[in-house]
Amino acid sequence: MVTERPGPSTVDVVSLREATKAWFLISLQTFGGPAGQIAVMQRTLVEEKRWIGQQRFLFALSYCTLLPGPEAQQLATYVGWLLNGVRGALVAGILFVLPGVVALLVLSGVYVAYGDTTLVEALFLGLGPAVIAIVLQAVIRVGRKGLTHPVFVALAVASFVALTFFAVPFPVVVLTAGVVGWVVGRARPDLAGSSGSSAAADDGPPPLVPDDALHAERPSTRRSAVVLVVGLTLWAAPVVAAALVLGRSSTLVDQGVFFSGAAVVTFGGAYAVLAYVAQQAADVYGWLAPGEMVRGLALAETTPGPLIMVVQFVAFLGAYRDPGTLDPWVAAVLAALLTTWVTFVPCFLFILLGAPYVERLRHNRTLASALTGITAAVVGVIANLALYFALHTLFEETRRVTTGPLALELPVVGTLQWAALAVTVLGCLLIFRRGWSVLRTLGACTLVGAALHLATVAA
């Protein structure tokens, strides 16, 4: 039975101060793209702190997966809203990206000033391999707790195969899973919403936000109108201000308009839109060279926060090289911050506008059945993202193989990075055999990775 409870609109589930501290610590661990970020939140929020139930976590993730933009950041915003209302959503969402914004801003400046970030990247050598172990643990745990029936196991496997071996577009996989979930719910009503049951929860105290409770903040036309007007105004204001002060032909205005559009078409996360961004930024606007996009992507993958943060690097370089009437460094910093703003403000808008309605969908058996199917597919999506990240961490090069309907990415075996493999093995041993915490594992692997790099350079 779904129950009402006093929600964050009236009472904080945890104190905002405690939640802020937790979100800050999570933000320092958000390496490895969406798979790594979901893994950190799964471990911290569901397993360690018991703030949210496992199936409730997956339900929120299913909704965020349907939205354009970085699903992990939106998931943090959604959970923050569940815990502390609008204040919690803003704190969680902002802190999730803040360390990455600062880190990539600094690294972009280093790249422009010195033309190389090899030394900086060496410091992050151990992070990527360590995240592989963390993500692997999350896939196993989420799969074990979220797939409570063979039907959902099959759906998760089918989603993974479709994405990995046949390059089926992400929206098609998600929508198909929703349809399958709806059909299963019609044929077997006893399975509808079973992945949202708390029956699969592991041993431990009950979560503060249980699987069968609704948020107390009800949706209303007035609330939606306020959120929509405020959100759209905040989204557009910096771009309008730049146009008024610098002129419509300014690079900052072009970037604000372009990345605002990109923010609403990034279904499937950053991976789905990066090829388009790279082509437009390099070939159409000339903000950077094609090879520099690869370097920016490498920096984004080795810094905390969503991978879509690479747009900040693109904007920084573009504005520095075409600053207009501004000092190049001032233009670069303003462009990076403006691009970050127009990329992430829509994420808050989507969550704060839609979350109260999504909460009520748990009453609707038909829609709940569809979301049950999507929840199962999300496990396959996480596994696919984990494989993608592992391929690009352990191998310098990959190749695309296309034969008929088959389309998959394979590693170039000769480009295996042995140091990365060694750190990955170490991370797996520390996580699975020694039971180390995420932060402790990341710290140890970073030190070992840096030592291996220094030994390689010295040799």
Side-chain angles (χ1 to χ4, degrees):
M1 182 180 68
V2 180
T3 59
E4 297 282 350
R5 66 172 178 83
S9 59
T10 56
V11 178
D12 288 341
V13 176
V14 297
S15 72
L16 185 62
R17 180 176 181 178
E18 184 181 359
T20 300
K21 179 181 178 181
W23 288 117
F24 177 71
L25 292 176
I26 288 173
S27 74
L28 299 179
Q29 305 171 53
T30 53
F31 298 90
Q37 293 150 11
I38 294 168
V40 170
M41 286 188 284
Q42 155 77 24
R43 180 163 183 159
T44 303
L45 302 173
V46 178
E47 299 169 10
E48 295 178 355
K49 294 187 176 296
R50 309 290 295 178
W51 283 354
I52 182 171
Q54 176 67 68
Q55 305 306 330
R56 192 61 175 279
F57 180 82
L58 292 176
F59 178 86
L61 178 57
S62 298
Y63 169 61
C64 296
T65 302
L66 293 173
L67 299 174
E71 61 267 38
Q73 189 268 350
Q74 291 167 331
L75 176 61
T77 305
Y78 195 121
V79 176
W81 176 76
L82 288 174
L83 296 173
N84 300 97
V86 174
R87 297 177 306 156
L90 295 176
V91 167
I94 291 172
L95 285 180
F96 195 87
V97 300
L98 189 59
V101 170
V102 175
L104 201 53
L105 193 63
V106 171
L107 293 178
S108 298
V110 171
Y111 179 79
V112 167
Y114 301 104
D116 190 14
T117 55
T118 303
L119 180 59
V120 177
E121 289 178 26
L123 297 177
F124 293 104
L125 176 64
L127 287 174
V131 169
I132 294 176
I134 296 167
V135 169
L136 180 60
Q137 182 189 48
V139 171
I140 294 172
R141 289 184 173 181
V142 171
R144 183 184 300 132
K145 298 171 185 176
L147 305 178
T148 57
H149 191 276
V151 171
F152 303 129
V153 174
L155 190 52
V157 172
S159 300
F160 174 78
V161 170
L163 289 166
T164 305
F165 294 94
F166 298 97
V168 178
F170 178 85
V172 174
V173 172
V174 173
L175 292 176
T176 301
V179 172
V180 172
W182 175 78
V183 171
V184 169
R186 298 275 292 182
R188 291 282 306 275
D190 59 304
L191 295 183
S194 67
S195 72
S197 169
S198 60
D202 56 350
D203 295 333
L208 297 181
V209 180
D211 294 332
D212 59 352
L214 289 179
H215 193 285
E217 185 174 5
R218 293 182 175 275
S220 68
T221 303
R222 180 180 180 277
R223 179 192 180 280
S224 298
V226 171
V227 171
L228 190 61
V229 169
V230 172
L232 292 176
T233 301
L234 291 174
W235 189 9
V239 182
V240 173
L244 293 175
V245 174
L246 303 175
R248 176 62 186 83
S249 60
S250 169
T251 299
L252 270 70
V253 176
D254 288 340
Q255 291 176 343
V257 172
F258 173 73
F259 288 115
S260 293
V264 297
V265 298
T266 54
F267 291 96
Y271 299 116
V273 79
L274 285 179
Y276 169 71
V277 170
Q279 188 270 334
Q280 293 290 309
D283 299 338
V284 177
Y285 292 100
W287 291 330
L288 76 176
E292 289 178 318
M293 187 67 185
V294 177
R295 176 53 61 89
L297 186 59
L299 292 178
E301 286 182 330
T302 54
T303 50
L307 188 58
I308 194 64
M309 201 75 75
V310 68
V311 299
Q312 180 182 327
F313 177 81
V314 174
F316 191 100
L317 265 62
Y320 181 86
R321 291 165 181 172
D322 185 13
T325 58
L326 296 175
D327 175 83
W329 286 102
V330 172
V333 173
L334 290 178
L337 297 178
L338 173 64
T339 295
T340 302
W341 180 271
V342 301
T343 298
F344 287 101
V345 167
C347 298
F348 293 96
L349 178 59
F350 295 145
I351 296 300
L352 294 177
L353 188 63
Y357 294 96
V358 173
E359 285 289 297
R360 265 61 205 172
L361 294 181
R362 295 167 67 85
H363 279 307
N364 187 303
R365 179 168 291 276
T366 300
L367 293 174
S369 297
L371 280 174
T372 296
I374 293 172
T375 298
V378 163
V379 179
V381 171
I382 296 174
N384 170 260
L385 293 174
L387 178 61
Y388 179 95
F389 179 71
L391 282 176
H392 289 267
T393 300
L394 298 178
F395 298 89
E396 292 184 5
E397 298 179 21
T398 61
R399 59 189 178 92
R400 173 69 61 176
V401 175
T402 304
T403 305
L406 190 68
L408 68 158
E409 190 172 17
L410 295 176
V412 177
V413 178
T415 64
L416 175 64
Q417 302 184 83
W418 292 100
L421 179 61
V423 178
T424 300
V425 172
L426 173 63
C428 289
L429 290 174
L430 295 178
I431 289 286
F432 291 103
R433 295 293 297 274
R434 306 292 295 180
W436 279 25
S437 67
V438 171
L439 282 177
R440 191 179 180 188
T441 301
L442 288 175
C445 289
T446 298
L447 292 175
V448 171
L452 289 174
H453 176 78
L454 293 175
T456 302
V457 172

